[in-house]
Amino acid sequence: MRSRDDEPFHACLRSPESNQASPGVSTRCRKGARSRYAPGVPETLEPIITEQQIAERVAELAARIDADHADVDELVLVGVLKGSFVFLADLARRITLPRRIEFLAVSSYGDREAEESGAVRLIMDVRHDIAGKAVIVVEDIVDTGHTLSYLMRLLGARGPASLQAITLLRKPERAEVDVPVDYVGFDIPDVWVVGYGLDFAERHRTLPDICALRRTR
Ligand code: IMP
Ligand code: MG
């Protein structure tokens, strides 16, 4: 795997539609800056996408979802726990169409078996039947693509009227399976990110910005 350590983040971040560097993304990327969120911990956290940039992008994505589903009676937004809970909360409140919220949970990177084999396991299912519904799976991040690919197969087999996926973040360099994603917030380089719902060992989920986390020893 190629290291992008020498490359500034703003050169790597892309807003997928425009294929341009996302505007303003570099402003708070102070490479190597000491974490202001976790003083005393041997790690650095660098904001790579700010709260405001996220808010703007979420509003754009919600507007596109509204426009693409003008003829739909009700959307079912299926959040993938835990990482998507903040994104789902903001997105669902920006969408203006009638919508319902569901959650499911899958095994995560804490599960050694899942990490090594790419196997994904459902540990909590949605509450209501999705047959005949317009469904959008809401992910925090698509990394290798195994989780989303598994979920699209699982939910697709239940006869939804339509099935789409949205992810706030995607790491194209890490893709192992080709899974189409209908709406992508930001393509990011191969760095571990936390904040806005994303964690490292359950830490940092509630940071307002998305930050790159690096261990310093
Ligand atoms: P995938 O199956 O490899 O695409 O992994 C998807 C899941 O891995 C995400 O839903 C996250 O829970 C987790 N994940 C992958 N990369 C990161 C990261 O950089 N920060 C936090 N969680 C991540
Ligand atoms: Mg996730």
Side-chain angles (χ1 to χ4, degrees), residues 110-188:
D111 181 339
R112 274 187 71 78
E113 218 175 286
E115 184 175 2
E116 281 161 18
S117 65
V120 182
R121 199 163 47 93
L122 189 72
I123 54 178
M124 189 191 97
D125 206 343
V126 294
R127 186 74 62 86
H128 296 102
D129 191 7
I130 58 160
K133 303 286 186 187
V135 176
I136 305 181
V137 177
V138 182
E139 261 287 27
D140 50 355
I141 185 163
V142 174
D143 186 33
T144 63
H146 286 292
T147 305
L148 188 59
S149 163
Y150 165 82
L151 289 176
M152 297 305 268
R153 267 182 282 119
L154 179 88
L155 299 178
R158 297 179 181 178
S162 62
L163 179 62
Q164 294 181 302
I166 180 168
T167 187
L168 181 65
L169 305 173
R170 182 174 62 180
K171 294 180 188 169
E173 290 167 54
R174 296 262 308 159
E176 288 177 10
V177 287
D178 185 23
V179 54
V181 188
D182 301 274
Y183 307 96
V184 179
F186 301 92
D187 278 334
I188 63 168

Side-chain angles (χ1 to χ4, degrees), residues 194-212:
V194 295
Y196 199 71
L198 293 118
D199 74 312
F200 176 69
E202 293 301 326
R203 290 187 296 116
H204 306 308
R205 279 195 203 280
T206 53
L207 296 179
D209 302 325
I210 290 172
C211 300

Side-chain angles (χ1 to χ4, degrees), residues 6-72:
D6 297 332
E7 207 167 330
F9 285 116
H10 57 89
C12 314
L13 273 170
R14 295 282 182 273
S15 168
E17 291 98 70
S18 64
N19 206 29
Q20 299 290 311
S22 306
V25 153
S26 65
T27 52
R28 292 175 67 184
C29 288
R30 288 172 304 111
K31 196 162 167 48
R34 192 75 189 169
S35 165
R36 69 184 164 96
Y37 295 117
V41 175
E43 65 189 19
T44 59
L45 289 173
E46 303 163 42
I48 63 165
I49 311 176
T50 65
E51 191 175 9
Q52 191 190 331
Q53 288 160 350
I54 297 167
E56 285 167 10
R57 190 70 182 134
V58 170
E60 286 170 14
L61 293 169
R64 278 186 48 207
I65 289 174
D66 274 343
D68 291 351
H69 298 83
D71 55 342
V72 165

